[in-house]
Amino acid sequence: MDHAHELGINFFDTADVYGWKKGEGITEQIIGRWFAKGEGRREKTVIATKVHNDMGDWPNEKRLSALHIRRAADASLKRLQTDYIDIYQAHHIDRNTPFDEFWEAMDILKQQGKVLYVGSSNFAGWHIAKAQEAARRRNGLGLVSEQSHYNLLVRAPELEVIPACEDYGLGLIPWSPLAGGLLGGILRKIDKGRSASENMAKELEKHRDKIEQYEAFCDELGEDPANVGLAWLLHQSAVTAPIIGPRTLEQLDGTTRVLEIELEEKALARLDEIFPGFKTAPEHYAW
């Protein structure tokens, strides 16, 4: 994280559920201990965390009820060892909580200075529209970002999520930008004897033809597949930045190359041939 700051990376994304030990907020605690070291770490960081998933076994220890949002925010602040969250994101849509209740809870947090901006994650296009119109009725700012599953293999957001983000002015923050590793040069890694998980192996066999074409094209470009996948996202409309997940300093340093890659129209067209995308709905399926 210190090295990320040295590279000029200042946006860190987490969630109360990350670490996957119910109620513990493991990754928030890690970031909190880092913030506590001082030396401007918190001030230099735009921290985003999320609320929705199970943090306990009782009814109001999950989803987006006003009570859970209030309790979850206070718990996240404590673990993060900070007094405010830059972007507080709904980790998923809660179909049982009306947006007026959601916005009332978020507005109170903003009035208290605990939250600066509100974002969403895994929302459909029409959820974004409902959220923004509900906020508008309350004279509120509404959502500022949507964190969506988007990469060369998963392009469904192009149907309605991205158009909604563009129309309402949300920044799109793609998660799993390398499809869990499938777009990160998996074939050459396996060739070098590095094994893939059983689930990854199944996904690879499902998409092997596309991945083979993709890695061959990356070789033609003279670029690492992982960097091409990230660079492609930066060429897409509404995308603010993909969420990278480096495990080593070497991987983190390697991603800085992405900012220098300019994919020409011919290269973008070739990637569309390998991984066909979507037109904006309803044109894609209506005419």
Side-chain angles (χ1 to χ4, degrees), residues 4-278:
H5 273 183
E6 292 171 1
L7 295 174
I9 297 171
N10 71 334
F11 175 72
F12 293 0
D13 175 76
T14 187
D16 56 5
V17 75
Y18 290 169
W20 309 111
K21 188 175 181 181
K22 188 181 287 187
E24 294 295 320
I26 299 297
T27 63
E28 286 185 332
Q29 290 185 41
I30 293 170
I31 294 171
R33 290 193 294 271
W34 180 67
F35 282 160
K37 293 182 178 180
E39 299 181 1
R41 287 177 172 84
R42 174 64 186 98
E43 291 75 14
K44 294 175 184 176
T45 302
V46 175
I47 187 68
T49 191
K50 308 183 194 74
V51 55
H52 179 282
N53 286 3
D54 292 11
M55 293 299 287
D57 299 321
W58 287 81
N60 280 301
E61 292 181 304
K62 59 184 176 181
R63 303 189 187 275
L64 300 177
S65 68
L67 180 58
H68 180 55
I69 288 174
R70 174 184 174 181
R71 289 175 173 172
D74 285 341
S76 286
L77 289 168
K78 184 176 180 180
R79 287 189 290 265
L80 289 167
Q81 299 194 49
T82 184
D83 57 359
Y84 70 98
I85 296 164
D86 292 280
I87 306 178
Y88 201 32
Q89 304 161 111
H91 209 157
H92 201 285
I93 189 70
D94 180 359
R95 297 177 177 86
N96 295 319
T97 300
F99 274 111
D100 281 332
E101 178 179 347
F102 170 81
W103 281 124
E104 182 174 26
M106 289 297 185
D107 287 347
I108 290 172
L109 290 175
K110 291 175 74 174
Q111 290 162 10
Q112 293 173 335
K114 296 177 179 179
V115 167
L116 299 187
Y117 299 98
V118 179
S120 60
S121 181
N122 304 308
F123 274 29
W126 67 276
H127 295 142
I128 292 172
K130 283 191 71 174
Q132 297 306 77
E133 294 307 317
R136 181 176 295 174
R137 290 195 304 270
R138 301 172 60 87
N139 295 315
L141 177 62
L143 302 170
V144 300
S145 62
E146 157 61 18
Q147 191 174 138
S148 196
H149 190 193
Y150 185 42
N151 54 55
L152 277 165
L153 272 171
V154 180
R155 297 186 60 171
E158 295 168 355
L159 278 166
E160 302 202 30
V161 172
I162 291 178
C165 288
E166 291 179 318
D167 192 71
Y168 284 106
L170 278 67
L172 185 68
I173 311 170
W175 61 266
S176 193
L178 299 179
L182 283 176
L183 299 171
I186 189 170
L187 294 178
R188 59 195 69 188
K189 291 175 182 176
I190 290 178
D191 289 343
K192 290 180 180 178
R194 292 166 62 180
S195 62
S197 66
E198 182 178 345
N199 184 60
M200 180 64 71
K202 289 180 181 178
E203 288 297 307
L204 174 58
E205 289 312 305
K206 187 190 305 182
H207 302 289
R208 177 174 283 274
D209 180 59
K210 292 181 178 180
I211 299 300
E212 287 177 348
Q213 293 182 63
Y214 174 63
E215 293 198 15
F217 180 59
C218 291
D219 287 339
E220 291 179 27
L221 294 175
E223 299 288 354
D224 183 85
N227 288 343
V228 173
L230 294 173
W232 177 83
L233 281 169
L234 289 178
H235 282 72
Q236 305 310 303
S237 60
V239 171
T240 299
I243 297 175
I244 59 172
R247 298 187 182 186
T248 66
L249 289 174
E250 181 183 14
Q251 288 178 355
L252 178 57
D253 283 330
T255 60
T256 61
R257 169 62 187 155
V258 175
L259 300 175
E260 302 172 5
I261 297 176
E262 287 290 337
L263 297 174
E264 298 179 354
E265 290 300 319
K266 186 176 180 181
L268 292 171
R270 175 59 181 141
L271 290 171
D272 281 339
E273 289 178 4
I274 300 172
F275 304 103
F278 294 86

